[in-house]
Amino acid sequence: MTEEALQHLSKIDKILGRLIRQVGPCRLKPKRRSPFEALVRAVVYQQLNGTAAATILGRVKGLYPGRRFPRPEDLLNTSDEKLRAAGLSRAKTAAIKDIAAKSQIGLVPSSSAIARMSEQQIVDCLMEVRGVGPWTVEMLLIFTLGRPDILPVTDYGVRKGFALTYGWKELPHPKELLEFGERWRPHRTTAAWYFWRALELPKQIRKPKAKAEKGPKLQN
C-alpha cells in the first residue's frame, strides 16, 4: 500500500492516524497466486487459527509430492477419504473439489481474466462456487489481487481491531462499520490491515485517548 494511502487516512481520521503511527509502515504485500489456489487456501483457513490451518494445508500439499501446489485435476482425482485424513472436514472437502471442477471449466477465472474484472464481477462470479462466501472473496481481493478499497466488515479481526482503536465496548455491526468506513475510501484495504495489526499492540499502547462517537443510528 502507498504512502499516499497513509497520508489520506491520517488526515481524514485522526484516531486511525494515531494507530498508523503506532504500527508503522503498512507491510501488506499481496502474494500473486491463481484464483484457484487462493480460493483453496482460503477455504482451508475458514474458521481455523493460522497454525492449525497451515498444518492441514501442509498435509494436503504433501499428498502431491513434487508439486508446489496441487492442480485442479489432482484434487478431483483424490478420494474424499484421503483429503479428510489430511484434516479437511466433509464440507471443506466438497468445497475444494467444487473449486477444482469450476476451475477446469472456467467458472473460476484464470489469473489474467480476473485481473480485468471489477470487484462486483468477481463477487458475482465466485459466489457461485460451493463454500465461497463474501469473506472468502474479500480475502482473495486483498491478499491475492491487491485491490486497494476492500473493507471486510464481517471479519472478526477487523471489527475487534476497530473497537479497540476507537474505544467501543462492543464490536461494530457490519452495517455500522461499512457506514463509518466511507471516510476511508479509496484506501479501505489499508485501514483494514491496520485494524488487524491493532490486535497485536500491547494494551497500554493501543488504548485510545478518547472514545469516538458512534454517530447516528442506521435506518433499517
Side-chain angles (χ1 to χ4, degrees):
M1 299 298 116
T2 65
E3 182 63 30
E4 177 189 350
L6 301 187
Q7 291 177 358
H8 170 82
L9 293 172
S10 297
K11 181 178 180 181
I12 205 72
D13 188 327
K14 300 302 182 185
I15 295 177
L16 180 54
R18 179 172 179 266
L19 175 63
I20 289 171
R21 292 191 298 274
Q22 290 170 338
V23 173
C26 181
R27 301 184 301 278
L28 175 60
K29 293 182 179 179
K31 294 185 177 181
R32 301 299 175 182
R33 298 183 173 115
S34 69
F36 159 73
E37 179 179 344
L39 289 176
V40 169
R41 286 175 174 272
V43 166
V44 172
Y45 273 75
Q46 285 172 358
Q47 299 177 322
L48 292 175
N49 68 53
T51 301
T55 298
I56 292 172
L57 183 61
R59 291 174 185 159
V60 171
K61 289 163 55 176
L63 299 174
Y64 312 97
R67 295 199 183 284
R68 184 190 63 81
F69 199 83
R71 302 168 301 180
E73 54 267 36
D74 294 329
L75 291 176
L76 292 172
N77 290 331
T78 304
S79 69
D80 289 5
E81 289 73 20
K82 276 191 175 183
L83 292 171
R84 295 199 64 201
L88 294 174
S89 66
R90 189 182 304 276
K92 289 186 178 183
T93 297
I96 67 170
K97 285 202 166 186
D98 194 51
I99 293 168
K102 287 184 167 65
S103 295
Q104 282 195 322
I105 62 176
L107 290 181
V108 171
S110 65
S111 296
S112 58
I114 206 168
R116 298 190 295 270
M117 297 167 67
S118 69
E119 278 85 8
Q120 191 57 54
Q121 288 174 325
I122 294 170
V123 169
D124 293 343
C125 173
L126 297 183
M127 288 287 284
E128 298 297 319
V129 181
R130 181 171 183 165
V132 174
W135 178 87
T136 304
V137 180
E138 288 164 348
M139 296 305 102
L140 180 146
L141 289 168
I142 292 173
F143 293 107
T144 300
L145 299 180
R147 298 293 173 99
D149 196 35
I150 306 300
L151 182 60
V153 296
T154 63
D155 184 90
Y156 174 82
V158 171
R159 295 167 69 207
K160 181 67 173 177
F162 173 90
L164 290 171
T165 300
Y166 292 86
W168 289 26
K169 293 182 179 180
E170 298 178 356
L171 298 185
H173 187 279
K175 290 176 69 175
E176 283 184 306
L177 185 53
L178 187 63
E179 182 182 75
F180 195 101
E182 282 297 311
R183 70 194 67 188
W184 305 323
R185 286 182 181 273
H187 304 293
R188 292 182 297 171
T189 296
T190 301
W193 185 86
Y194 276 96
F195 294 136
W196 279 316
R197 301 287 76 75
L199 302 179
E200 302 167 356
L201 292 175
K203 186 177 296 185
Q204 65 271 24
I205 293 179
R206 70 189 182 203
K207 185 177 180 181
K209 292 182 178 178
K211 185 179 184 299
E213 292 291 334
K214 278 198 172 186
K217 290 289 184 181
L218 295 176
Q219 299 297 316
N220 292 327

